[in-house]
């Protein structure tokens, strides 16, 4: 292990990075709460401010991927598609196989200037997660309980409200509904067989309701759908904990742009279109498994310094008084102060670890399959 890799693996440094993220996040959430007074006065100003506040938090995670772990992201697409990145409202369809797939998506958002305005159709449980759910709430993220009867009005209202969003937004959809696992795949393919739908090898059966509803509600705002298929070289299975520990991964993303004019407006035809899209995604995965790469030209969008500068700002602001306080505690020699400070460090480490666990595949709490056979696709 090299010296730099060893330093990144030190728990104390990881704890300090986590401290900066958590405390800056709480500060950002408080500022976001204060901006709520702007909502009835100037909604667009409220949105522009919260877009930048959200960027200040999310870009710290992107910094971990790009600068701390050194993970590289390569996209496979044509230049005409790249030229439109960050210049239009779009829906992103991303496969859901890895703990850090959202982070790779955020990296692309950051490099093309739309990270702060990125959206997602999120599960309701995330609303209760400090920092993540709270920031999303102020960013007008649409939360759903995955029960259409309960979600219908909330989803329609939330999506329709975004039609006049002032910043170009990338709206991320995980059409599979949950992360891929062998067990979930087995259940999903049983459902596909029972409904006479095409079987998939590398994906779960897409749930079409979320896609068709999002496309319908954002009609006239969204101009394209980007289909994104993500893989990691050498069959690596990256984790957020690995990123925090400084492990480097090589991510490949195939991106295909579909203008909304080419997608059927009829709900059933649109659902059929999505199923065909997932067959194409499956073929892409098969190609990657055999060739170790996606077809087409490879493009490596350059990293931007903003994520690193943003983190350094928060680190300087928050760590300077913390380190001064820590030195004062240990210099004082007071057993009580030292014990209290160590307890604080333990609590902080547990809090950081809990936040990381939200992304872990085996702790997502998914109930996929319990009612899957009864769901409409």
């Amino acid at each position: 292990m090299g010296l730099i890799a060893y330093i990144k693996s030190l728990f104390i440094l990881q704890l300090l990075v986590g401290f900066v993220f958590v405390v800056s996040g709480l500060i950002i959430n408080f500022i976001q709460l204060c901006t709520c007074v702007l909502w009835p006065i100037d909604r667009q100003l409220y949105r522009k401010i919260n877009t930048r506040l959200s960027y200040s938090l999310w870009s710290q995670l992107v910094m971990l991927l790009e600068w701390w772990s050194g993970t590289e992201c390569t996209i496979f697409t044509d230049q005409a598609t790249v030229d439109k990145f960050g210049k239009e409202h779009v829906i992103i369809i991303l496969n859901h196989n890895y703990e850090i797939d959202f982070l790779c998506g955020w990296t692309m958002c950051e490099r093309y200037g739309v990270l702060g305005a990125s959206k997602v159709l999120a599960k309701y449980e995330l609303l209760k997660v400090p920092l993540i759910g709270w920031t999303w709430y102020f960013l007008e993220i649409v939360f759903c309980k995955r029960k259409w009867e309960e979600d219908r009005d909330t989803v329609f209202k939330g999506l329709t409200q975004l039609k006049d969003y002032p910043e170009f937004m990338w709206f991320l959809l995980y059409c599979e509904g949950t992360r891929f696992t062998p067990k979930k795949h087995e259940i999903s393919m049983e459902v596909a067989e029972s409904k006479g739908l095409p079987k998939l090898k590398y994906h779960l059966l897409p749930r079409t309701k979320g896609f068709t509803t999002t496309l319908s509600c954002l009609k006239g705002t969204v101009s394209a759908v980007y289909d994104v298929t993500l893989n990691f070289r050498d069959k690596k299975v990256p984790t957020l904990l690995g990123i925090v520990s400084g492990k480097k991964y090589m991510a490949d993303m195939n991106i295909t742009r579909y203008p909304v004019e080419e997608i059927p407006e009829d709900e059933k035809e649109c659902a059929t279109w999505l199923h065909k899209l997932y067959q194409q995604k499956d073929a892409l995965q098969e190609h990657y498994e055999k060739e170790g790469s996606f077809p087409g030209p490879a493009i490596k969008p350059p990293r931007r310094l903003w994520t690193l500068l943003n983190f350094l700002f928060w680190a300087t602001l928050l760590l300077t008084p913390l380190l001064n306080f820590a030195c004062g505690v240990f210099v004082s020699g007071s057993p009580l102060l030292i014990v209290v400070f160590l307890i604080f460090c333990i609590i902080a480490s547990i809090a950081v670890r809990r936040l990381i666990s939200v992304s872990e595949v085996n702790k997502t709490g998914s109930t996929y399959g319990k009612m899957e056979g009864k769901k409409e696709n």
Side-chain angles (χ1 to χ4, degrees), residues 93-247:
I93 296 177
L94 179 63
N95 56 317
H96 206 7
N97 295 55
Y98 306 99
E99 288 183 11
I100 67 165
D101 46 28
F102 77 96
L103 196 48
C104 291
W106 276 359
T107 295
M108 289 299 104
C109 288
E110 201 289 320
R111 295 187 186 189
Y112 292 100
V114 294
L115 176 59
S118 61
K119 309 294 181 186
V120 66
L121 196 62
K123 58 184 179 182
Y124 184 78
E125 291 79 4
L126 289 176
L127 179 59
K128 305 173 185 177
V129 178
L131 306 185
I132 297 173
W134 298 350
T135 303
W136 274 351
Y137 174 80
F138 294 114
L139 204 57
E140 300 173 76
I141 293 299
V142 182
F143 294 93
C144 57
K145 299 179 180 179
R146 298 181 180 178
K147 297 178 181 178
W148 184 241
E149 294 75 16
E150 298 181 25
D151 290 332
R152 187 194 311 270
D153 293 339
T154 301
V155 171
F156 272 104
K157 180 181 178 181
L159 290 172
T160 303
Q161 190 169 274
L162 294 174
K163 287 177 70 72
D164 64 342
Y165 207 78
E167 310 276 341
F168 287 123
M169 61 178 175
W170 285 8
F171 198 107
L172 173 64
L173 286 178
Y174 290 118
C175 293
E176 294 165 271
T178 185
R179 283 200 180 95
F180 182 101
T181 67
K183 179 60 178 178
K184 293 174 186 176
H185 180 254
E186 179 183 348
I187 295 170
S188 183
M189 292 307 98
E190 289 175 357
V191 174
E193 184 174 3
S194 69
K195 295 186 176 183
L197 295 170
K199 288 191 175 183
L200 305 172
K201 185 176 180 180
Y202 300 100
H203 298 84
L204 305 178
L205 201 65
R207 295 175 175 177
T208 61
K209 180 64 73 173
F211 174 72
T212 58
T213 301
T214 302
L215 194 59
S216 174
C217 289
L218 295 180
K219 183 180 179 181
T221 299
V222 167
S223 55
V225 171
Y226 294 171
D227 173 51
V228 183
T229 303
L230 170 69
N231 268 309
F232 289 87
R233 295 179 201 173
D234 304 319
K235 298 185 178 181
K236 293 286 183 65
V237 182
T239 63
L240 187 54
L241 191 58
I243 295 296
V244 172
S245 300
K247 293 182 180 179

Side-chain angles (χ1 to χ4, degrees), residues 344-356:
F344 168 78
C345 291
I346 293 172
I347 294 174
S349 66
I350 293 174
V352 171
R353 190 63 185 83
R354 288 290 298 273
L355 280 174
I356 292 175

